[in-house]
Each structure stands twice: as structure tokens, then as C-alpha cells.
């Protein structure tokens, strides 16, 4: 009965409710885009670290878990491999280079040195994994492979500043990994000696097969819990500290501030949505006071009046959120690939459910008003 | 035959700032099956307060009200709402209809509220509207039809669920004379035919010729009851009868 009444009212006032649904749809688009942007920026920032097959990262001590600031001697990596409780350890060194394209501007990429088949080296989804030999092989992120239409076996030319000169180096693509963005750039992976040879540096002749690392990725064998393992590592190696993966990427410069800003925007949008929906339905109820009074006077129970109001709010909100979600996905699919708006099922589900929930939340006051309507007063008897 | 509706020493007192005002006092009336009663009197005489109490919209301060011998003075709000939708049909002065429901849907609303909606009762609702001359407006929204037609729909709605008591609060207030007479005549006919107990509050004394009894109220109490049809017919529309609504002139 409640749904019958609310549906009839919406159906017979289609234009009014459709326009209001559009307002909810616009709020939904804004919230979903903000969520998608947050997810996209976060992914661009952390994708490589998030996908690491590792439990802990070892950093230099007192660098606030900054992968860029952290410097670790290669010997620490060797010693770390002998620590009890480890399944494996992988050295990781970060730098940036440009990838030369045929027709367009060079593309900035994260140039990451790893040891093949250790926790720092991602697996290929196409072609072969990175091998120790031959050198001059590169494993590339699918983002750059798709952008440049590169396949395993092709040559990738990178530009790196050596001393004061920009030098070009050809690398052979051994395989393609899933998306591995890091610091807003797609990533390419080489062995540590190749990395140290081709990374930008002030002295072109200063390179080694055992270069200074940024971090060491640790995979536990499960013998100890991670806290205990961290303590063991800290006791074994000097001047280091460990962090789990989440802490590691959340400690990246600007990451927390960026996500905090986007979450604040999202929160305010939810608040605005709640107030707009609340205001609209409150005005609706005020306009309908005599009608509600009449319904109560002819014997409609309070529960019916309230549930008709709730179901109307839910129907309008649901319709608005469906339109908003559809528009968002259509818009998102037409965006250029370099715009970092990503949608994951979980974040979309949470956002959509929250959007549907704020309707009744915003309408609570109007439902209470409907509940309190006195027939005699409303009918002016 | 026992009355359908009876009140005994019914009263309503409003209290504020140590003052009490008797809006209705010592009203005892009986309305039988198929009987249509008009409540008349000047503004503030307690007609609407009495009607609100009879409709269980207002609790009485003293006395009793019974429908079919069942007193409902002690009911809680939920029980009163149920009683209203099952036993009472109500037509108001204005704001009678749900604006987003068509004529037939407005009548069927009472059936739905009482869980009596089915193909057979829906046909009955249509028949009733046809009888009221609304065969061409079955699917019209209230905003698409005249006030008189709206009041006829309200009358149909007040009768469709087989209520024992039918109440009307100035149902012709917003109608011209011709339409008002049509509406009240149809109302009276249906009450008589279907053996309901009907009470109508009215300021338009010309409508009293369609009722079986006129109860005149003054200052919250019954001042005069015109019992016989012949007296009503004699008085209806005359200046003498009009004075019923202004009893201070009689004094």
C-alpha cells in the first residue's frame, strides 16, 4: 500500500521527481568521480608497491619510510637473505627515465632495478619474466605497452641523462607485466646492473653490479608474525626500519594529504546531498500536510504514511543514483587514458550504497514531520 | 431497532491558563440505521468538535460514544485509526481527495486501506461513481474535474467500504446552490438505501430538506431538535428556518 501510494505520486508527478532525481544523479556523478579520482591517483601512486609479492619493506632508518630518500647498501640485501623467517628478499632501486616514442613526446617512466625472481620483480603476463642474463632486457608495464603498441621482442629506447648529456639506450622487451604504476608513471623493470648502468647520474662511469638500493622487499615464510619478523630484521641489520606494504605507500610524499583532501571533498558532497534531499522532501511534506491529515482522518495508520514517505525517498534516490552511475561510467569510459579516474567494484559499491542511504537519512526529518501530522490541525477543522 | 450511533452526556472541555471552555457539553443523541441527521448552529457552537469526537479524531472529556453498542472512548491512537477506516466514512469540506490518484483510485483507496480491494469491490466502486454521474471522469485526476465532482467522489469514497457511520463536515461549502443540492441529495439517498447512520454539519440550511432530523447546537449544547420531516420541509429555506443558524436572533 505504501509503495502503491508513493509510486502513484511519483508517476503522476513525473517531471518534478525526474528533475529532482537529476539533482541526485549530479551529486552521484560528483561523488563517484571524486571516489574514482581518489582511487586513480592512489593507484598511480602505489600500484607497484600494492602488487608486490612481499610482506615488508626494509628502509633506511629515519627517512619516514620514503622510498626515494632511503639508501641501503647492497650488503644489507645479502645479509637480509640469511635472516631466519624469510622466504625471500628482493632488492629494489628506483629512478626515472624517458621512453622515446616515434611521433609523440617522450614518456616519463619509473625505471626500477630488481633482481629477477625475487619479491621486487613482477611476473610477466605476456612474454617472459625478467632474467639475469642477457643484460639490456626490460620488462614493461602494460600501460606503456598499450600506449606504444609494444610487444615482447620489440626494442624500447630510453633516454637518460648521463653527466650533462642525454643518452639513448636500446633495451629489448622480454615481457609485459600488469599495470605497475609508481609515482604517477608507468614502470619498466631491468636487472640491477642494467639499472645502475642506465639510470640518470652525474658520473656516467660510476656504476656497479651491486649498486646502492632504495628498499628491500621481504617475503615471510610464515614462521613468525610480521611484528616479530620486523624485530628480527631490525636486530640483524643496522640503521634500518621496516614497514608493511600499506604503511609504505601511505608514507609516500603527499599520498595521505592527497587522499585526505579527496575524502574531505567526498564527505562534503555526501553532506550536501543529504541536506539537499532532506530539504526537498521536507518541502514536499509541508506542501502535503492537508493531504496527509486527510489520509490519517480516513484511517490510514501512521506506519503507512511514514513508510510511503520512506519508499518514495528510496525510489527517487535509487533512480537518481542509477542515472548518476550510468552517466559516470559513460563519461569515465570516454576519458583519455591519462586521466587517473579508476573504479573498483568495492569502492563503487560502497559509494553507491552510501548514496542510496543518504536519501532516507536526509528525509528522516520529513518522515518525522509526516508522522506527527494531526488530522484536525492539517484539515483546519 | 437499536441506534447505530449513540452518545450519552458527551462533552469536550478545553483548558488553558486556569480557564476552561466547554466546547461541547451534555450531548446525547441517537442516530439509527438509514437515518440522516444535520447538525446546524452558528460558528463556535461545537458542531465540528462534536463531529471530530464522533469520528474518533478527538477524545472526549466526558460522556460516552458508541457505534453498534461498542464504546470507543478508551481506544488508543492505533485502535482509533483502525476504527475510523473500518466503521466510519468521512467527507470533508475541502482537501478530500488524494491529488495524484484518479477518481476511481481515490474511491478504491478505502478498499485498499481495509484490505478489501479485489475485482468485485473495484467493480462496485465503478458502479458507485457511475451512479454519482461520474462515468466519464473515472480516470480523471482531481485537478481535472470540478469541485462538485470532487465532492461526489469523496461521497463515494466515504461509502465504498460499508461503514456503519457516515460523517460529513460541510460537504457543500465550496459548491454553488445547484451543485450543493445535487451532492446532498445523492448523499442522503445513499445513506437511506444502504442503511448507514449519517451526520452532516452544514451552514447551508437549505440542505436540511434532505435530512431526517435537524439538531441545532448553541454554545456547545443541543438547543433544539426538529424531528419531523414535515417541520423540516416547512422551515427549509424560510427566514424562520434560517434563524436556526443565528439563534441569538430568536431570543
Amino acid at each position: 500500500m505504501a509503495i502503491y501510494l508513493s509510486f502513484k505520486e511519483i508517476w503522476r508527478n513525473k517531471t518534478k521527481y525526474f528533475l529532482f532525481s537529476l539533482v541526485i544523479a549530479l551529486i552521484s556523478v560528483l561523488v563517484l568521480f571524486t571516489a574514482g579520482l581518489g582511487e586513480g591517483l592512489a593507484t598511480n601512486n602505489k600500484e607497484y608497491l600494492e602488487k608486490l609479492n612481499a610482506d615488508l619493506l626494509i628502509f633506511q632508518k629515519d627517512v619516514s619510510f620514503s622510498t626515494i630518500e632511503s639508501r641501503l647498501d647492497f650488503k644489507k640485501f645479502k645479509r637480509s637473505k640469511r635472516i631466519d623467517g624469510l622466504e625471500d628478499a628482493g632488492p629494489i632501486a628506483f629512478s626515472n627515465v624517458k621512453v622515446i616514442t616515434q611521433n609523440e613526446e617522450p614518456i616519463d617512466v619509473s625505471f626500477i632495478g630488481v633482481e629477477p625472481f625475487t619479491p621486487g620483480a613482477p611476473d610477466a603476463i605476456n612474454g617472459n619474466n625478467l632474467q639475469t642474463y642477457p643484460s639490456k632486457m626490460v620488462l614493461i608495464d602494460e600501460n606503456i605497452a598499450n600506449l606504444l603498441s609494444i610487444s615482447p621482442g620489440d626494442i624500447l629506447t630510453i633516454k637518460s641523462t648521463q653527466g650533462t648529456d642525454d643518452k639513448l639506450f636500446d633495451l629489448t622487451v622480454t615481457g609485459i607485466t600488469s599495470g605497475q604504476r609508481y609515482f604517477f608513471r608507468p614502470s619498466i623493470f631491468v636487472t640491477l646492473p642494467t639499472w645502475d648502468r642506465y639510470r640518470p647520474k652525474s658520473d656516467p662511469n660510476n656504476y656497479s653490479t651491486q649498486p646502492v638500493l632504495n628498499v628491500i622487499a621481504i617475503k615471510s615464510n610464515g614462521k613468525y608474525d610480521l611484528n616479530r619478523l620486523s624485530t628480527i630484521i631490525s636486530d640483524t641489520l643496522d640503521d634500518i626500519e621496516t614497514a608493511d606494504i600499506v604503511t609504505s605507500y601511505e608514507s609516500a610524499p603527499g599520498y595521505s594529504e592527497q587522499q585526505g583532501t579527496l575524502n574531505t571533498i567526498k564527505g562534503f558532497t555526501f553532506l550536501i546531498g543529504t541536506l539537499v534531499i532532506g530539504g526537498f522532501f521536507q518541502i514536499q511534506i509541508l506542501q502535503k500536510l492537508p493531504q496527509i491529515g486527510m489520509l490519517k482522518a480516513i484511517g490510514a495508520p501512521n506506519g503507512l504514511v511514514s513508510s510511503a514517505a520512506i519508499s518514495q525517498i528510496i525510489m527517487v534516490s535509487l533512480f537518481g543514483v542509477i542515472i548518476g552511475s550510468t552517466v559516470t561510467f559513460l563519461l569515465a569510459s570516454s576519458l583519455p587514458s591519462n586521466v587517473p579516474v579508476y573504479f573498483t567494484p568495492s569502492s563503487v559499491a560502497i559509494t553507491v550504497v552510501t548514496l542510496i542511504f543518504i536519501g532516507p537519512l536526509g528525509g528522516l526529518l520529513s518522515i518525522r514531520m509526516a508522522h506527527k501530522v494531526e488530522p484536525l490541525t492539517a484539515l483546519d477543522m | 431497532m437499536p441506534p447505530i450511533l449513540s452518545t450519552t452526556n458527551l462533552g469536550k472541555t478545553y483548558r488553558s491558563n486556569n480557564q476552561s471552555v466547554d466546547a461541547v457539553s451534555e450531548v446525547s443523541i441517537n442516530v439509527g440505521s438509514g437515518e440522516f441527521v444535520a447538525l446546524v448552529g452558528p460558528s463556535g457552537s461545537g458542531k465540528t468538535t462534536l463531529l471530530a469526537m464522533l469520528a474518533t479524531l478527538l477524545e472526549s472529556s466526558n460522556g460516552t460514544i458508541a457505534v453498534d453498542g461498542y464504546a470507543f472512548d478508551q481506544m488508543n491512537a492505533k485502535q482509533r485509526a483502525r476504527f475510523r477506516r473500518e466503521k466510519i466514512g468521512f467527507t470533508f469540506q475541502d482537501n478530500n481527495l488524494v491529488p495524484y490518484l484518479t477518481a476511481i483510485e481515490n474511491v478504491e483507496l478505502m478498499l485498499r486501506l481495509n484490505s478489501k480491494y479485489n475485482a468485485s469491490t473495484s467493480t462496485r466502486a465503478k458502479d458507485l461513481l457511475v451512479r454519482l454521474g461520474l462515468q466519464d471522469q473515472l480516470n480523471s485526476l482531481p485537478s481535472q474535474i470540478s469541485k462538485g465532482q470532487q465532492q461526489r467522489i469523496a461521497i463515494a469514497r466515504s461509502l465504498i467500504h460499508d461503514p456503519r457511520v457516515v460523517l460529513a463536515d460541510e460537504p457543500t461549502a465550496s459548491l454553488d446552490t445547484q451543485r450543493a443540492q445535487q451532492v446532498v441529495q445523492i448523499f442522503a439517498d445513499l445513506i437511506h438505501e444502504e442503511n448507514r447512520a449519517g451526520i452532516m454539519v452544514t451552514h447551508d440550511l437549505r440542505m436540511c430538506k434532505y435530512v431526517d432530523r435537524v439538531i441545532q447546537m448553541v454554545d456547545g449544547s443541543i438547543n433544539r431538535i426538529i424531528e419531523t420531516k414535515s417541520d423540516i420541509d416547512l422551515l427549509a429555506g424560510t427566514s424562520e428556518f434560517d434563524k436556526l443558524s443565528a439563534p441569538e436572533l430568536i431570543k
Side-chain angles (χ1 to χ4, degrees):
Chain A
M1 182 67 189
I3 290 173
Y4 168 81
L5 282 177
S6 40
F7 178 76
K8 286 284 181 186
E9 184 169 14
I10 292 169
W11 187 247
R12 299 262 156 78
N13 296 281
K14 288 189 277 290
T15 309
K16 179 170 76 174
Y17 285 100
F18 178 70
L19 287 175
F20 186 63
S21 286
L22 285 188
V23 173
I24 297 175
L26 288 174
I27 291 168
S28 305
V29 170
L30 188 57
V31 172
L32 281 167
F33 257 102
T34 310
L37 185 64
E39 191 70 32
L41 288 172
T43 302
N44 272 349
N45 222 341
K46 71 183 182 186
E47 193 175 27
Y48 168 59
L49 290 185
E50 195 175 35
K51 288 182 177 175
L52 270 182
N53 181 26
D55 302 305
L56 295 170
L57 287 182
I58 300 176
F59 292 82
Q60 181 185 350
K61 198 170 186 183
D62 299 331
V63 295
S64 305
F65 304 116
S66 164
T67 52
I68 302 301
E69 289 179 50
S70 174
R71 294 284 183 276
L72 297 173
D73 192 284
F74 197 84
K75 287 175 191 164
K76 282 200 169 85
F77 162 61
K78 286 183 174 173
R79 287 174 61 196
S80 72
K81 294 191 84 165
R82 296 195 292 272
I83 294 173
D84 185 28
L86 262 64
E87 183 181 308
D88 202 358
I92 304 174
F94 297 101
S95 187
N96 302 309
V97 294
K98 289 181 187 297
V99 169
I100 301 300
T101 62
Q102 285 189 331
N103 303 317
E104 296 172 27
E105 288 286 302
I107 299 166
D108 288 315
V109 296
S110 286
F111 187 54
I112 303 176
V114 295
E115 189 166 286
F117 303 106
T118 63
D123 289 330
I125 55 170
N126 183 12
N128 298 317
N129 282 349
L130 194 65
Q131 309 280 333
T132 307
Y133 299 104
S135 60
K136 295 191 179 180
M137 300 298 280
V138 64
L139 183 68
I140 66 170
D141 179 332
E142 68 176 354
N143 292 303
I144 198 152
N146 294 337
L147 197 64
L148 302 178
S149 301
I150 293 176
S151 305
D154 291 348
I155 299 297
L156 186 82
T157 305
I158 61 168
K159 183 165 82 172
S160 167
T161 306
Q162 303 291 313
T164 55
D165 299 326
D166 283 343
K167 298 278 189 187
L168 300 181
F169 302 102
D170 286 342
L171 299 168
T172 305
V173 176
T174 182
I176 294 164
T177 73
S178 61
Q180 299 283 345
R181 287 174 186 271
Y182 187 60
F183 271 121
F184 300 98
R185 299 182 180 99
S187 304
I188 62 174
F189 300 89
V190 292
T191 59
L192 281 171
T194 307
W195 177 81
D196 206 29
R197 172 70 187 83
Y198 297 139
R199 72 181 170 88
K201 50 189 175 291
S202 51
D203 181 0
N205 298 314
N206 180 19
Y207 54 89
S208 151
T209 56
Q210 297 187 349
V212 173
L213 310 169
N214 291 107
V215 293
I216 299 166
I218 298 295
K219 178 74 180 163
S220 164
N221 64 9
K223 184 175 178 182
Y224 306 109
D225 66 40
L226 291 183
N227 287 336
R228 176 79 184 119
L229 185 60
S230 291
T231 309
I232 293 171
I233 294 168
S234 299
D235 291 345
T236 309
L237 305 175
D238 296 330
D239 297 325
I240 60 101
E241 54 191 345
T242 61
D244 59 31
I245 302 299
V246 174
T247 308
S248 301
Y249 61 68
E250 285 183 350
S251 304
Y255 180 89
S256 300
E257 291 82 353
Q258 177 195 78
Q259 292 298 308
T261 305
L262 288 167
N263 283 334
T264 306
I265 293 171
K266 201 162 73 172
F268 267 106
T269 316
F270 275 131
L271 181 66
I272 291 165
T274 310
L275 293 175
V276 168
I277 294 169
F280 175 81
F281 282 105
Q282 208 169 328
I283 292 167
Q284 281 286 102
I285 293 289
L286 282 172
Q287 287 177 337
K288 291 196 298 187
L289 286 181
Q291 181 193 315
I292 293 170
M294 181 274 291
L295 280 172
K296 288 190 179 183
I298 62 172
N302 251 331
L304 173 70
V305 173
S306 304
S307 46
I310 291 173
S311 54
Q312 190 176 74
I313 294 169
I314 290 174
M315 277 191 238
V316 174
S317 302
L318 197 62
F319 187 59
V321 171
I322 289 170
I323 297 175
S325 306
T326 310
V327 169
T328 304
F329 284 108
L330 290 175
L331 278 175
S333 60
S334 64
L335 284 175
S337 59
N338 59 351
V339 178
V341 176
Y342 298 162
F343 297 102
T344 58
S346 60
S347 71
V348 169
I350 290 168
T351 308
V352 166
V353 168
T354 310
L355 280 165
I356 293 168
F357 179 72
I358 63 169
L361 185 72
L364 272 181
L365 198 62
S366 59
I367 291 162
R368 187 173 153 74
M369 279 173 70
H371 197 82
K372 289 179 78 174
V373 169
E374 277 295 328
L376 285 179
T377 315
L379 289 168
D380 200 23
M381 279 180 73
Chain B
M1 187 186 286
I4 292 179
L5 174 73
S6 64
T7 70
T8 309
N9 299 327
L10 190 64
K12 179 68 184 176
T13 305
Y14 290 104
R15 289 184 176 82
S16 65
N17 299 330
N18 299 325
Q19 285 189 320
S20 63
V21 177
D22 291 329
V24 172
S25 66
E26 302 290 321
V27 170
S28 300
I29 54 172
N30 293 317
V31 185
S33 173
E35 190 179 13
F36 190 24
V37 173
L39 273 180
V40 299
S43 296
S45 60
K47 308 182 297 292
T48 302
T49 304
L50 176 60
L51 198 72
M53 285 192 286
L54 297 178
T56 75
L57 291 170
L58 189 65
E59 285 185 65
S60 60
S61 305
N62 43 53
T64 60
I65 311 170
V67 170
D68 282 338
Y70 182 65
F72 54 76
D73 312 68
Q74 302 302 317
M75 287 179 186
N76 62 29
K78 202 172 175 179
Q79 289 168 325
R80 286 202 301 271
R82 182 173 180 175
F83 188 85
R84 278 200 297 278
R85 69 174 173 267
E86 287 179 355
K87 301 284 186 190
I88 294 174
F90 215 142
T91 304
F92 309 98
Q93 183 176 338
D94 213 343
N95 296 309
N96 256 309
L97 304 178
V98 180
Y100 50 83
L101 296 181
T102 61
I104 186 71
E105 287 167 348
N106 261 292
V107 178
E108 288 169 350
L109 180 67
M110 277 319 289
L111 296 171
R112 289 179 188 274
L113 278 175
N114 282 296
S115 304
K116 286 181 177 175
Y117 178 74
N118 55 44
S120 152
T121 54
S122 176
T123 305
R124 221 181 98 222
K126 268 183 208 142
D127 292 344
L128 191 52
L129 284 173
V130 170
R131 165 131 194 235
L132 288 161
L134 295 164
Q135 59 278 2
D136 296 329
Q137 279 78 37
L138 291 180
N139 295 309
S140 300
L141 291 170
S143 59
Q144 297 167 327
I145 56 180
S146 70
K147 284 270 183 190
Q149 288 169 326
Q150 288 180 28
Q151 287 302 73
R152 279 186 269 164
I153 296 167
I155 288 169
R157 190 194 59 202
S158 72
L159 292 162
I160 192 64
H161 57 298
D162 291 330
R164 297 295 287 150
V165 179
V166 182
L167 305 172
D169 182 26
E170 300 191 45
T172 59
S174 54
L175 305 181
D176 59 48
T177 307
Q178 194 184 352
R179 288 189 192 286
Q181 288 187 339
Q182 278 177 357
V183 165
V184 176
Q185 181 154 25
I186 292 167
F187 203 16
D189 289 347
L190 288 167
I191 285 168
H192 291 140
E193 286 170 25
E194 299 186 359
N195 294 319
R196 320 283 181 213
I199 298 182
M200 170 179 69
V201 166
T202 184
H203 270 115
D204 187 346
L205 302 174
R206 287 164 300 186
M207 300 305 132
C208 291
K209 65 184 173 189
Y210 301 104
V211 304
D212 306 302
R213 190 157 36 124
V214 178
I215 298 174
Q216 180 201 36
M217 292 190 69
V218 176
D219 295 335
S221 303
I222 294 174
N223 185 57
R224 182 177 173 187
I225 299 176
I226 304 172
E227 297 266 9
T228 64
K229 193 77 178 167
S230 55
D231 283 350
I232 294 168
D233 288 342
L234 274 174
L235 289 167
T238 65
S239 58
E240 172 68 18
F241 194 75
D242 287 350
K243 287 174 187 171
L244 275 170
S245 64
E248 62 276 11
L249 294 179
I250 297 171
K251 293 170 190 171

